[in-house]
Amino acid sequence: MFCYQCQETAGGKGCAVSGVCGKKPEVAAMQDLLIYVTKGLSVVTTALRTEGKEISREVNHLVTMNLFVTITNANFDRTAIIETIKRTLDVKQELLMQLADKEALPEAALWNGDETEFDAKAASVGVLATENEDIRSLRELITYGLKGLAAYSKHANALLHDNEQIDAFLQDALAKTLDDSLTVDDLVALTLETGKYGVDGMALLDKANTEAYGNPELTNVDIGVRNNPGILVSGHDLRDLEMLLEQTAGTGVDVYTHSEMLPAHYYPAFKKYTHFAGNYGNAWWKQKEEFDKFNGPILMTTNCVVPPAESYKDRLWTTGATGVPGCRHIDGAYGEVKDFSKIIEQAKGCPAPTQIESGTIIGGFAHEQLFTLADKVVDAVKTGAIRKFVVMAGCDGRQKAREYYKEFAERLPKDVVILTAGCAKYKYNKLELGDIGGIPRILDAGQCNDSYSLVLIALKLKEIFGLDDINDLPLVFNIAWYEQKAVIVLLALLYLGVKNIHLGPTLPAFLSPNVANVLVENFGIAGIGTVEDDLHLLIGEA
Ligand code: SF4
Ligand code: SF3
């Protein structure tokens, strides 16, 4: 196996024996093959579009789901991935028959094999199949960005919002990662175009979420526990949460959020459920310890899943793109109501969660909420009460080096406000950082995809202050990344012209020295230094 798509990749270079995330070589092989056949399918759909033929939503959804399955910490179930490869090959064969011009199709578009051939094929189509390290680096950067875009599209699709342009671009770009005639410059341009569609994808999801559930608003979320049995919901899929809340109403079972599901509490529509109890635990990487103590069933709607300990394996359920061998999976097509009755039955027989924390945390500063506070914020900037904003969005992870973010937040001067989104916030969202004239010093917009809100906020401030360039705002970026959703957020920011983003705790292993240089020279991207140095550099602290 060879995988280097996440920040925790072995030795900062690549997982070659087994994944640091728990992904075994036999699962990695099927993920590689799934990517390969999905790229092949995308070549065919792109060619069909060129011939003026329409591609069905089902096919678009298959492509996005396939990419989602291969995101870090989503799916460890080899059998499930094999079934997906077979389905993809079947769909591709059918579409190939509709294609008039089959000349010059790449091998991935034509390859078909049965299960006995999968492992041999997988061995020749992984990341290292591209020999030139710069082309490989750009192909992977684009592919990982597309995985993030696919994940966000999937959540919008589950709320019955589709955007054919995004799907068409996604498939065209996937196809282009197989095209040997493209140069480094072509691929750099495609990388930025991926960022443009990243903005569109986040906008689509924002629209889907806010139309369905209202605009997030300032909310205090309880982090303690109640006395009833509970179900813990993790991941990013709000539609799954909604179905579970509906089905648990009146059953005596409470529902708690975990990690990236925390921002669900900020949406008005979920406030009517009196059994929607609060948030339990922290970011994804602490789940082995915290799921054990939760005592009830846990539903993983997306990444990040850590392969479970035996002590709670029978309480871990997956749905959507997630899968863990030996854990039960709940199916359900978009637009259908999933049946969570078995999880609810299990919960009824479980003790209430063991309390691990108490108190509340505050969040809900997505774009509309912030716009209502805009006058106050602008005044605070004009009077100097707020010196700077620092965007600390992104992912959390288990590496010790990430303590940097906690320390950085703690040591920020009291006139600096943190804008956050994603699970990165768990490094500092329980610190007492106070407020500036009633504006909390940590403004949490929501999930990683709600980085879109941070962009809208920045654009609004640019307009209010009459600036031409977003980079002239008193705003700096110190972003933490881990998996591929952070890659699409990063590409989206680059597309919008944001410069001098600091990215840590380490730069991606998939950036070759030359590609890293392109990012440094054109966008001023940098890694992180010591807290001391970065406070000086970013905030101007002496
Ligand atoms: Fe390694 Fe990350 Fe790939 Fe897992 S997802 S195998 S930890 S690089
Ligand atoms: Fe976290 Fe996995 Fe990325 Fe949506 S839950 S931010 S790491």
Side-chain angles (χ1 to χ4, degrees):
M1 72 176 280
F2 183 82
C3 180
Y4 62 174
Q5 67 174 351
C6 83
Q7 187 274 326
E8 294 189 357
T9 195
K13 292 203 155 38
C15 295
V17 181
S18 193
V20 172
C21 60
K23 184 162 81 176
K24 298 274 180 270
E26 56 274 20
V27 175
M30 289 308 104
Q31 290 192 0
D32 286 349
L33 188 60
L34 180 57
I35 289 292
Y36 179 75
V37 300
T38 304
K39 287 183 174 181
L41 170 63
S42 297
V43 171
V44 177
T45 56
T46 303
L48 282 168
R49 282 192 179 93
T50 315
E51 291 181 1
K53 305 199 174 85
E54 270 184 32
I55 303 301
S56 70
R57 281 191 177 176
E58 288 67 34
V59 173
N60 290 340
H61 294 167
L62 178 64
V63 171
T64 48
M65 185 57 111
N66 287 359
L67 293 191
F68 203 165
V69 160
T70 69
I71 279 186
T72 301
N73 290 339
N75 202 309
F76 299 90
D77 189 344
R78 177 178 156 100
T79 313
I81 300 170
I82 287 175
E83 287 315 307
T84 311
I85 295 169
K86 289 187 196 161
R87 192 161 60 247
T88 306
L89 287 171
D90 287 348
V91 169
K92 189 188 71 186
Q93 287 310 109
E94 233 169 79
L95 291 176
L96 262 178
M97 287 193 283
Q98 297 172 27
L99 190 64
D101 181 5
K102 298 192 187 59
E103 291 292 306
L105 288 179
E107 204 240 345
L110 299 168
W111 185 79
N112 196 7
D114 66 31
E115 199 180 322
T116 57
E117 298 163 75
F118 283 4
D119 279 298
K121 188 67 189 168
S124 67
V125 299
V127 170
L128 300 177
T130 303
E131 276 167 25
N132 179 303
E133 73 164 351
D134 297 328
I135 300 281
R136 183 198 306 148
S137 174
L138 287 162
R139 283 180 174 177
E140 294 309 315
L141 173 58
I142 293 162
T143 304
Y144 304 151
L146 296 173
K147 289 186 185 192
L149 174 58
Y152 295 155
S153 296
K154 187 263 157 187
H155 295 309
N157 299 159
L159 289 165
L160 307 181
H161 285 244
D162 282 83
N163 180 324
E164 162 65 19
Q165 274 114 20
I166 294 178
D167 288 303
F169 167 78
L170 197 145
Q171 292 159 33
D172 183 38
L174 279 176
K176 284 182 172 145
T177 64
L178 295 172
D179 185 344
D180 291 329
S181 73
L182 297 186
T183 63
V184 164
D185 286 347
D186 295 333
L187 290 171
V188 169
L190 185 59
T191 305
L192 282 191
E193 203 184 354
T194 305
K196 176 201 177 298
Y197 283 91
V199 177
D200 293 352
M202 285 191 273
L204 179 71
L205 179 53
D206 184 77
K207 186 164 185 284
N209 283 340
T210 54
E211 278 185 15
Y213 308 122
N215 274 300
E217 55 195 19
L218 199 58
T219 306
N220 281 300
V221 181
D222 203 321
I223 57 171
V225 298
R226 299 182 186 171
N227 296 325
N228 303 317
I231 298 174
L232 189 59
V233 191
S234 191
H236 303 67
D237 199 296
L238 297 180
R239 174 68 187 131
D240 285 336
L241 173 72
E242 181 189 15
M243 290 186 275
L244 187 73
L245 284 168
E246 276 296 314
Q247 292 173 38
T248 41
T251 62
V253 173
D254 290 332
V255 173
Y256 294 80
T257 54
H258 170 257
S259 193
E260 275 285 71
M261 199 55 89
L262 157 68
H265 292 279
Y266 312 154
Y267 287 89
F270 298 129
K271 292 188 172 155
K272 66 173 181 271
Y273 299 103
T274 53
H275 63 298
F276 193 26
N279 189 69
Y280 190 85
N282 292 279
W284 64 272
W285 58 278
K286 286 196 174 163
Q287 64 190 251
K288 271 202 172 152
E289 178 192 324
E290 295 177 345
F291 287 1
D292 212 23
K293 297 200 174 88
F294 184 74
N295 303 330
I298 302 122
L299 175 65
M300 304 300 306
T301 67
T302 72
N303 64 316
C304 281
V305 188
V306 173
E310 284 305 319
S311 59
Y312 64 85
K313 195 171 180 182
D314 70 319
R315 292 191 275 114
L316 191 81
W317 299 71
T318 61
T319 190
T322 60
V324 176
C327 291
R328 284 165 285 185
H329 185 87
I330 309 281
D331 275 323
Y334 305 152
E336 263 176 35
V337 176
K338 292 183 181 176
D339 179 3
F340 291 126
S341 57
K342 291 206 175 87
I343 306 184
I344 299 166
E345 269 325 295
Q346 184 183 45
K348 286 179 180 165
C350 292
T354 305
Q355 177 139 317
I356 52 175
E357 291 172 305
S358 62
T360 58
I361 45 179
I362 193 171
F365 294 92
H367 47 87
E368 293 311 304
Q369 177 66 78
L370 214 103
F371 293 167
T372 64
L373 293 173
D375 289 347
K376 220 174 164 180
V377 172
V378 169
D379 277 351
V381 175
K382 284 188 176 153
T383 61
I386 293 179
R387 179 183 358 170
K388 234 171 211 179
F389 297 93
V390 50
V391 174
M392 293 180 71
C395 311
D396 197 12
R398 56 197 135 197
Q399 283 183 348
K400 272 261 168 300
R402 287 181 187 264
E403 283 301 304
Y404 163 95
Y405 294 103
K406 177 172 183 237
E407 208 189 320
F408 187 85
E410 253 168 350
R411 290 180 51 187
L412 278 172
K414 302 257 173 291
D415 54 2
V416 175
V417 171
I418 297 174
L419 299 175
T420 193
C423 68
K425 65 169 102 22
Y426 284 96
K427 275 282 183 282
Y428 44 79
N429 69 346
K430 290 164 189 169
L431 300 175
E432 294 290 339
L433 295 189
D435 63 279
I436 300 174
I439 304 163
R441 286 193 50 229
I442 303 180
L443 299 179
D444 177 23
Q447 298 178 335
C448 48
N449 44 286
D450 294 310
S451 299
Y452 176 69
S453 260
L454 302 182
V455 166
L456 291 191
I457 290 164
L459 292 173
K460 185 75 178 176
L461 291 175
K462 182 182 107 172
E463 180 194 312
I464 295 175
F465 288 110
L467 300 170
D468 296 329
D469 187 344
I470 204 170
N471 296 297
D472 293 336
L473 283 169
L475 176 72
V476 289
F477 288 79
N478 194 3
I479 287 180
W481 82 286
Y482 169 60
E483 37 76 57
Q484 299 79 52
K485 296 180 191 182
V487 176
I488 194 62
V489 172
L490 175 72
L491 296 183
L493 292 174
L494 296 185
Y495 166 74
L496 290 167
V498 176
K499 297 268 189 327
N500 303 323
I501 296 173
H502 287 252
L503 186 66
T506 52
L507 290 180
F510 54 81
L511 296 180
S512 68
N514 287 332
V515 172
N517 260 345
V518 170
L519 296 181
V520 172
E521 278 165 21
N522 295 311
F523 300 100
I525 289 221
I528 58 169
T530 63
V531 171
E532 194 92 16
D533 287 351
D534 289 354
L535 283 171
H536 178 68
L537 187 71
L538 292 167
I539 313 296
E541 275 299 270

mmCIF file of all heavy atoms in Angstrom, residues 72-73 152 235-236 259-260 284 302-304 394-396 422-424 447-449 482-483 485-486, ligand 2:
data_model
loop_
_atom_site.group_PDB
_atom_site.id
_atom_site.type_symbol
_atom_site.label_atom_id
_atom_site.label_comp_id
_atom_site.label_asym_id
_atom_site.label_seq_id
_atom_site.Cartn_x
_atom_site.Cartn_y
_atom_site.Cartn_z
ATOM 1 N N THR A 72 -10.106 9.880 4.527
ATOM 2 C CA THR A 72 -9.491 9.378 5.767
ATOM 3 C C THR A 72 -10.544 9.124 6.851
ATOM 4 O O THR A 72 -11.391 9.989 7.108
ATOM 5 C CB THR A 72 -8.469 10.414 6.294
ATOM 6 O OG1 THR A 72 -7.486 10.612 5.293
ATOM 7 C CG2 THR A 72 -7.806 9.913 7.577
ATOM 8 N N ASN A 73 -10.463 7.957 7.458
ATOM 9 C CA ASN A 73 -11.312 7.597 8.598
ATOM 10 C C ASN A 73 -12.806 7.491 8.263
ATOM 11 O O ASN A 73 -13.652 7.714 9.132
ATOM 12 C CB ASN A 73 -11.173 8.603 9.753
ATOM 13 C CG ASN A 73 -9.824 8.514 10.424
ATOM 14 O OD1 ASN A 73 -9.139 7.494 10.322
ATOM 15 N ND2 ASN A 73 -9.443 9.552 11.131
ATOM 16 N N TYR A 152 -18.934 17.304 0.742
ATOM 17 C CA TYR A 152 -19.878 18.401 0.956
ATOM 18 C C TYR A 152 -21.073 18.289 0.005
ATOM 19 O O TYR A 152 -22.214 18.560 0.389
ATOM 20 C CB TYR A 152 -19.172 19.751 0.788
ATOM 21 C CG TYR A 152 -18.106 20.012 1.839
ATOM 22 C CD1 TYR A 152 -17.045 20.865 1.615
ATOM 23 C CD2 TYR A 152 -18.182 19.385 3.102
ATOM 24 C CE1 TYR A 152 -16.070 21.105 2.588
ATOM 25 C CE2 TYR A 152 -17.218 19.613 4.073
ATOM 26 C CZ TYR A 152 -16.159 20.471 3.807
ATOM 27 O OH TYR A 152 -15.216 20.700 4.765
ATOM 28 N N GLY A 235 -20.011 12.860 13.147
ATOM 29 C CA GLY A 235 -19.901 13.123 11.704
ATOM 30 C C GLY A 235 -20.588 14.415 11.326
ATOM 31 O O GLY A 235 -20.916 15.236 12.175
ATOM 32 N N HIS A 236 -20.834 14.577 10.033
ATOM 33 C CA HIS A 236 -21.278 15.882 9.520
ATOM 34 C C HIS A 236 -22.691 15.881 8.937
ATOM 35 O O HIS A 236 -23.134 16.916 8.457
ATOM 36 C CB HIS A 236 -20.348 16.338 8.389
ATOM 37 C CG HIS A 236 -18.890 16.435 8.752
ATOM 38 N ND1 HIS A 236 -18.108 15.352 9.053
ATOM 39 C CD2 HIS A 236 -18.062 17.516 8.836
ATOM 40 C CE1 HIS A 236 -16.862 15.750 9.303
ATOM 41 N NE2 HIS A 236 -16.815 17.058 9.175
ATOM 42 N N SER A 259 -18.212 15.630 18.368
ATOM 43 C CA SER A 259 -17.237 16.197 17.432
ATOM 44 C C SER A 259 -17.880 17.143 16.412
ATOM 45 O O SER A 259 -18.470 18.140 16.786
ATOM 46 C CB SER A 259 -16.451 15.065 16.756
ATOM 47 O OG SER A 259 -15.319 15.581 16.081
ATOM 48 N N GLU A 260 -17.815 16.798 15.110
ATOM 49 C CA GLU A 260 -18.297 17.711 14.077
ATOM 50 C C GLU A 260 -19.828 17.861 14.047
ATOM 51 O O GLU A 260 -20.353 18.685 13.297
ATOM 52 C CB GLU A 260 -17.800 17.266 12.696
ATOM 53 C CG GLU A 260 -16.404 17.783 12.368
ATOM 54 C CD GLU A 260 -16.405 19.268 12.014
ATOM 55 O OE1 GLU A 260 -16.611 20.076 12.938
ATOM 56 O OE2 GLU A 260 -16.189 19.601 10.842
ATOM 57 N N TRP A 284 -12.507 13.854 17.141
ATOM 58 C CA TRP A 284 -12.582 12.451 16.737
ATOM 59 C C TRP A 284 -11.561 11.538 17.395
ATOM 60 O O TRP A 284 -11.867 10.388 17.709
ATOM 61 C CB TRP A 284 -12.432 12.382 15.214
ATOM 62 C CG TRP A 284 -11.098 12.850 14.707
ATOM 63 C CD1 TRP A 284 -10.751 14.134 14.385
ATOM 64 C CD2 TRP A 284 -9.923 12.060 14.491
ATOM 65 N NE1 TRP A 284 -9.434 14.186 13.978
ATOM 66 C CE2 TRP A 284 -8.907 12.930 14.031
ATOM 67 C CE3 TRP A 284 -9.627 10.704 14.632
ATOM 68 C CZ2 TRP A 284 -7.614 12.498 13.719
ATOM 69 C CZ3 TRP A 284 -8.341 10.263 14.318
ATOM 70 C CH2 TRP A 284 -7.354 11.151 13.875
ATOM 71 N N THR A 302 -20.386 10.133 9.177
ATOM 72 C CA THR A 302 -19.273 10.375 8.233
ATOM 73 C C THR A 302 -17.979 10.085 8.978
ATOM 74 O O THR A 302 -17.995 9.668 10.144
ATOM 75 C CB THR A 302 -19.199 11.847 7.766
ATOM 76 O OG1 THR A 302 -18.723 12.654 8.852
ATOM 77 C CG2 THR A 302 -20.521 12.386 7.262
ATOM 78 N N ASN A 303 -16.851 10.381 8.322
ATOM 79 C CA ASN A 303 -15.594 10.403 9.055
ATOM 80 C C ASN A 303 -15.715 11.460 10.161
ATOM 81 O O ASN A 303 -16.523 12.379 10.028
ATOM 82 C CB ASN A 303 -14.447 10.757 8.098
ATOM 83 C CG ASN A 303 -14.578 12.153 7.513
ATOM 84 O OD1 ASN A 303 -15.658 12.560 7.102
ATOM 85 N ND2 ASN A 303 -13.515 12.896 7.493
ATOM 86 N N CYS A 304 -14.921 11.346 11.211
ATOM 87 C CA CYS A 304 -13.783 10.458 11.408
ATOM 88 C C CYS A 304 -14.134 9.293 12.336
ATOM 89 O O CYS A 304 -14.500 9.524 13.486
ATOM 90 C CB CYS A 304 -12.645 11.234 12.016
ATOM 91 S SG CYS A 304 -11.731 12.238 10.838
ATOM 92 N N GLY A 394 -10.380 24.323 10.655
ATOM 93 C CA GLY A 394 -9.755 23.094 10.171
ATOM 94 C C GLY A 394 -10.010 21.894 11.052
ATOM 95 O O GLY A 394 -11.083 21.765 11.650
ATOM 96 N N CYS A 395 -9.019 21.044 11.115
ATOM 97 C CA CYS A 395 -9.172 19.737 11.772
ATOM 98 C C CYS A 395 -8.321 19.633 13.032
ATOM 99 O O CYS A 395 -7.272 20.256 13.133
ATOM 100 C CB CYS A 395 -8.693 18.624 10.848
ATOM 101 S SG CYS A 395 -9.332 18.658 9.173
ATOM 102 N N ASP A 396 -8.766 18.763 13.916
ATOM 103 C CA ASP A 396 -7.927 18.376 15.052
ATOM 104 C C ASP A 396 -7.292 17.019 14.732
ATOM 105 O O ASP A 396 -7.659 16.363 13.743
ATOM 106 C CB ASP A 396 -8.778 18.306 16.326
ATOM 107 C CG ASP A 396 -7.922 18.315 17.593
ATOM 108 O OD1 ASP A 396 -6.714 18.596 17.501
ATOM 109 O OD2 ASP A 396 -8.474 18.044 18.673
ATOM 110 N N GLY A 422 -14.973 23.662 12.010
ATOM 111 C CA GLY A 422 -14.315 22.351 11.938
ATOM 112 C C GLY A 422 -13.916 21.859 13.319
ATOM 113 O O GLY A 422 -14.083 22.565 14.316
ATOM 114 N N CYS A 423 -13.364 20.647 13.357
ATOM 115 C CA CYS A 423 -13.093 20.071 14.684
ATOM 116 C C CYS A 423 -11.797 20.599 15.286
ATOM 117 O O CYS A 423 -11.468 20.267 16.425
ATOM 118 C CB CYS A 423 -13.137 18.548 14.647
ATOM 119 S SG CYS A 423 -11.824 17.747 13.722
ATOM 120 N N ALA A 424 -11.063 21.448 14.565
ATOM 121 C CA ALA A 424 -9.870 22.099 15.125
ATOM 122 C C ALA A 424 -10.201 22.828 16.426
ATOM 123 O O ALA A 424 -9.354 22.952 17.310
ATOM 124 C CB ALA A 424 -9.300 23.091 14.112
ATOM 125 N N GLN A 447 -19.272 23.549 11.315
ATOM 126 C CA GLN A 447 -18.453 22.440 10.820
ATOM 127 C C GLN A 447 -17.376 22.979 9.869
ATOM 128 O O GLN A 447 -17.394 24.147 9.485
ATOM 129 C CB GLN A 447 -19.340 21.446 10.063
ATOM 130 C CG GLN A 447 -20.415 20.815 10.933
ATOM 131 C CD GLN A 447 -21.325 19.869 10.143
ATOM 132 O OE1 GLN A 447 -21.492 19.998 8.932
ATOM 133 N NE2 GLN A 447 -21.924 18.927 10.849
ATOM 134 N N CYS A 448 -16.497 22.065 9.402
ATOM 135 C CA CYS A 448 -15.420 22.524 8.515
ATOM 136 C C CYS A 448 -15.977 23.187 7.253
ATOM 137 O O CYS A 448 -15.438 24.182 6.771
ATOM 138 C CB CYS A 448 -14.476 21.373 8.168
ATOM 139 S SG CYS A 448 -15.277 19.861 7.632
ATOM 140 N N ASN A 449 -17.099 22.659 6.737
ATOM 141 C CA ASN A 449 -17.719 23.244 5.551
ATOM 142 C C ASN A 449 -18.238 24.653 5.822
ATOM 143 O O ASN A 449 -18.388 25.457 4.903
ATOM 144 C CB ASN A 449 -18.860 22.370 5.032
ATOM 145 C CG ASN A 449 -19.745 21.885 6.146
ATOM 146 O OD1 ASN A 449 -19.348 20.987 6.897
ATOM 147 N ND2 ASN A 449 -20.912 22.459 6.294
ATOM 148 N N TYR A 482 -6.066 18.057 8.597
ATOM 149 C CA TYR A 482 -5.817 16.632 8.828
ATOM 150 C C TYR A 482 -6.234 15.827 7.606
ATOM 151 O O TYR A 482 -5.446 15.122 7.021
ATOM 152 C CB TYR A 482 -6.554 16.149 10.086
ATOM 153 C CG TYR A 482 -6.565 14.645 10.253
ATOM 154 C CD1 TYR A 482 -5.369 13.935 10.354
ATOM 155 C CD2 TYR A 482 -7.763 13.930 10.286
ATOM 156 C CE1 TYR A 482 -5.365 12.552 10.481
ATOM 157 C CE2 TYR A 482 -7.769 12.550 10.420
ATOM 158 C CZ TYR A 482 -6.574 11.863 10.511
ATOM 159 O OH TYR A 482 -6.575 10.507 10.629
ATOM 160 N N GLU A 483 -7.516 15.969 7.213
ATOM 161 C CA GLU A 483 -7.962 15.103 6.096
ATOM 162 C C GLU A 483 -8.376 15.948 4.880
ATOM 163 O O GLU A 483 -8.088 17.130 4.808
ATOM 164 C CB GLU A 483 -9.051 14.111 6.541
ATOM 165 C CG GLU A 483 -10.054 14.642 7.538
ATOM 166 C CD GLU A 483 -11.078 15.547 6.976
ATOM 167 O OE1 GLU A 483 -11.772 15.113 6.052
ATOM 168 O OE2 GLU A 483 -11.248 16.670 7.470
ATOM 169 N N LYS A 485 -11.148 17.112 3.556
ATOM 170 C CA LYS A 485 -12.097 18.236 3.536
ATOM 171 C C LYS A 485 -11.346 19.532 3.779
ATOM 172 O O LYS A 485 -11.685 20.578 3.229
ATOM 173 C CB LYS A 485 -13.169 18.034 4.599
ATOM 174 C CG LYS A 485 -14.021 16.811 4.322
ATOM 175 C CD LYS A 485 -15.077 16.639 5.382
ATOM 176 C CE LYS A 485 -15.721 15.287 5.219
ATOM 177 N NZ LYS A 485 -16.787 15.069 6.181
ATOM 178 N N ALA A 486 -10.301 19.446 4.587
ATOM 179 C CA ALA A 486 -9.478 20.640 4.805
ATOM 180 C C ALA A 486 -8.750 21.022 3.521
ATOM 181 O O ALA A 486 -8.435 22.198 3.309
ATOM 182 C CB ALA A 486 -8.486 20.394 5.931
HETATM 183 FE FE1 SF3 B 2 -12.579 16.793 11.833
HETATM 184 FE FE2 SF3 B 2 -12.333 14.334 10.861
HETATM 185 FE FE3 SF3 B 2 -11.370 17.257 9.584
HETATM 186 FE FE4 SF3 B 2 -14.901 18.367 9.349
HETATM 187 S S1 SF3 B 2 -13.997 15.121 11.942
HETATM 188 S S2 SF3 B 2 -12.974 18.499 10.378
HETATM 189 S S3 SF3 B 2 -10.777 15.782 11.009
#
